[in-house]
Amino acid sequence: MIVPMKKVSLIIRGDRKEETLNKLRSLGILHIEILEGRGKKLEELKEKISLLERTVFLLEEKKPKDTEPREATVQEAISIAEKVQALAEERKECSAEHAALTAEIERFADWGDIDPESLAELSREGIELSFYETSKSEYETLGDSVKTLPLAETKASVKFMIIKTGAEGEEEVLAALNKFQLVMPRESTGKLKEKQAALARRLEEIDGAAASDACYIDSMKKAVRACEKDVEFEVYRTGMEDETLSADGKSEVSIAYFTGYVEAENVDRIKAAAKDNSWGLLVEEPTEEDNVPTKLKNNRFVSLIYPLTDFLGTVPGYFEYDISGWFLGFILIFFGIIFGDGGYGLLILAIALVPIIKAYKAKKPVSPAFLLMALMGLTTILWGTLTCSWFGITPERLPGWLRSLSIPVISSVYADKIWYPFWMTEQMGDGLTKEQNVQIFCFTLALVQLSAAHVLAAIRHRKTLKAIGDIGSLMQLIGMFYVVLSLVVNANVFSFGLVIAGIPIGLVAVVFVAVGFVLNFVFGNYEGSIVKSIVASLADIVSMLLGVVNVFADIVSYIRLWAVALAGSAISATVNELAGPLFGRFVFILFAIFILVFGHGLNMILNVLSVIVHGIRLNTLEFSSHLDMSWSGHKFQPFKKEISL
């Protein structure tokens, strides 16, 4: 259920903001309405969080596997983070310089050791040397006007040195060779290599320092949370509305005020605190205009759905429905159908049982996520048993007792058999295949789940005539269910002319759709006046008409369960067909095992994605839209202290 909330407004003295917030944080029951903070301190705290988060990311890349965590206070963690970031900046500079030196050294790798100072000394003595690299053909055209000395030669090029003599025509040749001249390094290649080695050592030292500081990662994460709580505090402190009041025209008093929400059961506690601290307090019932936070409270079984809804970030609005129980029940069914294989269910259950058993042995609480996973494994085993689907193995190769556990109308054991409902015989026409029976089951799930949505809506509106509109929607759904069976499953078996026990089923379905539309048209927008409700429906006539089509589409949408399961089954069978022949030869057995593990593993991953895309969609879109839910809520998060570091 959604826990009832009360809206509270607090008025305090302007000079007692910090004192009040500290007391409220110790109390830990008030959700303060979102405020917009400001100020230098707030910016500094955000910078510290950014610093810590960047440092954690950096250190996790350098963290040795055998690192033992060490504790540090918040301030110590920040100091370490500043040191690490300074080293990171130094490393960036050293790395850039090291790369430049490496490129420079590689440029002279084929020239040997070169010392610009020695060449400059020779130049002062009157011996001017310059170095070039050209193609062989270019080198051979130099002629006798320049004095050259070949240094190295390949099939394509020549490295050579020119000794300037001042001979006639030498300047022209040197000008033509200018683009081929080797640019001298700023220092000797020997010194460049020494600097490169020194930088490499410094980079190792920096990496070593980072690795040694990786032991503080957990402390930095705790420091991030502590700073986030400080940010929260500062936002509330600086975001409060301030007013200056004057009682006698002379003295002025500064006050601050803000709004929050508290669980109804904790109202007495906030009242007592207000009385003890001389706060002004106003307690009200929240309205739909208020941004009321949502807190869900259910039994331990229904609460197993919370890890999934937390992962999705779906929170119902305070004035919406808590569908946790419905969500859990149907997602388990959808999961089982989509995976559709009892063998996969056994693997999922086995994976979930490992941490569950470890937790029980260690006498620690079991994570709800693993309990939910175990339930999903069980529902998959159940569906696989009912349909006789085990690792994509053909029914003929399965034990007889396993085949006997399946339900014939949906079992793969009877995939080729035609089934006739009680009102038909073989002579009357087409019957139903196994796949059509599964489709009918999926559409029946749609009828049950979507009908539940309209029943819940009718119960909520039971004190107004709007409930009649919800009943009309329910009638449309029931009638459209038969239309879907006729148009999608089998038009002969579910014909519009079908009569059972004197009841014209097809005609009744059409009447249900028509009457349901009228009731929804008249009462669907009821807000105290039938006339206004009809006018509102007329103004939105296009959406009202499309609503009938949407009911059809929403029911048909559940066929995705059958389609995805069919695709998964086909992949399983294909993997088995690929691997099967390889088991005949010993040398290919390992390859066959690899195909089986990879193929079925990939299929399971695809099934997980299908559950997220299709199974969850049916709960959060089709089911929720019939409840008129928008998932517009946000979590109730009381302002409270965390354990200090």
Side-chain angles (χ1 to χ4, degrees), residues 202-332:
R202 181 55 185 160
L203 287 171
E204 289 181 2
E205 290 173 1
I206 293 173
D207 289 341
S212 65
D213 288 332
C215 60
Y216 295 106
I217 288 178
D218 291 342
S219 292
M220 289 184 185
K221 290 179 179 179
K222 291 179 181 177
V224 168
R225 293 195 294 272
C227 288
E228 286 174 342
K229 298 302 291 184
D230 288 343
V231 165
E232 181 184 41
F233 185 94
E234 193 63 17
V235 165
Y236 294 152
R237 186 185 71 82
T238 59
M240 289 185 197
E241 296 289 342
D242 289 287
E243 294 285 349
T244 302
L245 302 179
S246 177
D248 54 7
K250 297 180 179 179
S251 58
E252 293 184 344
V253 178
S254 173
I255 64 167
Y257 57 93
F258 59 93
T259 302
Y261 299 91
V262 66
E263 296 170 67
E265 62 184 27
N266 287 327
V267 168
D268 289 340
R269 292 179 62 190
I270 198 75
K271 285 182 176 179
K275 183 178 180 181
D276 293 341
N277 295 280
S278 301
W279 301 332
L281 176 67
L282 174 64
V283 180
E284 303 173 280
E285 285 292 336
T287 66
E288 293 192 10
E289 286 72 33
D290 294 319
N291 189 24
V292 190
T294 303
K295 181 179 180 180
L296 301 179
K297 186 176 182 181
N298 289 290
N299 59 50
R300 292 181 63 185
F301 177 74
V302 174
S303 299
L304 294 178
I305 196 61
Y306 292 166
L308 180 59
T309 53
D310 289 344
F311 169 75
L312 297 172
T314 52
V315 182
Y318 178 75
F319 293 99
E320 294 182 339
Y321 299 86
D322 176 17
I323 62 168
S324 300
W326 295 99
F327 201 134
L328 176 62
F330 280 99
I331 196 62
L332 290 175

Side-chain angles (χ1 to χ4, degrees), residues 339 341 343-344 347-348 351 391 568 571-572 575-576 592-609:
F339 268 77
D341 191 294
Y344 289 175
L347 290 176
I348 295 168
I351 293 171
F391 290 115
I571 292 174
S572 297
V575 170
N576 292 343
I593 293 173
F594 171 77
I595 291 177
L596 287 175
V597 173
F598 177 79
H600 285 292
L602 179 62
N603 195 22
M604 291 184 71
I605 292 172
L606 292 174
N607 284 337
V608 170
L609 295 176

Side-chain angles (χ1 to χ4, degrees), residues 407-411 414-441 443-444 481-482 484-495 498 500 562:
I407 296 179
V409 292
I410 60 173
S411 172
Y414 306 94
D416 299 326
K417 186 174 180 179
I418 300 298
W419 302 88
Y420 298 93
F422 68 89
W423 62 85
M424 293 191 71
T425 63
E426 188 173 350
Q427 291 73 29
M428 293 176 64
D430 296 337
L432 298 171
T433 65
K434 172 251 182 182
E435 299 301 339
Q436 288 175 328
N437 288 328
V438 175
Q439 291 174 18
I440 293 171
F441 180 78
F443 294 143
T444 303
F481 172 72
Y482 188 82
V484 169
L485 295 183
S486 179
L487 297 182
V488 179
V489 180
N490 193 312
N492 291 324
V493 175
F494 302 101
S495 69
L498 177 64
I500 299 178
W562 164 78

Side-chain angles (χ1 to χ4, degrees), residues 146-159:
V146 291
K147 186 176 181 179
T148 64
L149 179 64
L151 301 176
E153 187 175 333
T154 65
K155 291 182 180 181
S157 64
V158 178
K159 291 182 175 65

Side-chain angles (χ1 to χ4, degrees), residues 48-74:
K48 288 178 181 178
I49 291 173
S50 176
L51 169 71
L52 289 164
E53 288 177 338
R54 286 186 284 114
T55 305
V56 167
F57 179 79
L58 180 66
L59 292 180
E60 282 181 338
E61 293 181 338
K62 309 289 184 182
K63 183 180 179 181
K65 292 183 179 179
D66 57 348
T67 300
E68 289 291 333
R70 295 183 62 182
E71 292 293 327
T73 64
V74 173

Side-chain angles (χ1 to χ4, degrees), residues 542-556:
V542 175
S543 296
M544 295 294 294
L545 293 172
L546 289 176
V548 180
V549 180
N550 288 337
V551 174
F552 178 87
D554 287 345
I555 297 174
V556 173

Side-chain angles (χ1 to χ4, degrees), residues 466-486:
K466 193 171 185 177
I468 299 177
D470 297 319
I471 294 172
S473 297
L474 179 60
M475 291 179 66
Q476 285 187 75
L477 181 68
I478 295 171
M480 198 60 73
F481 172 72
Y482 188 82
V483 174
V484 169
L485 295 183
S486 179

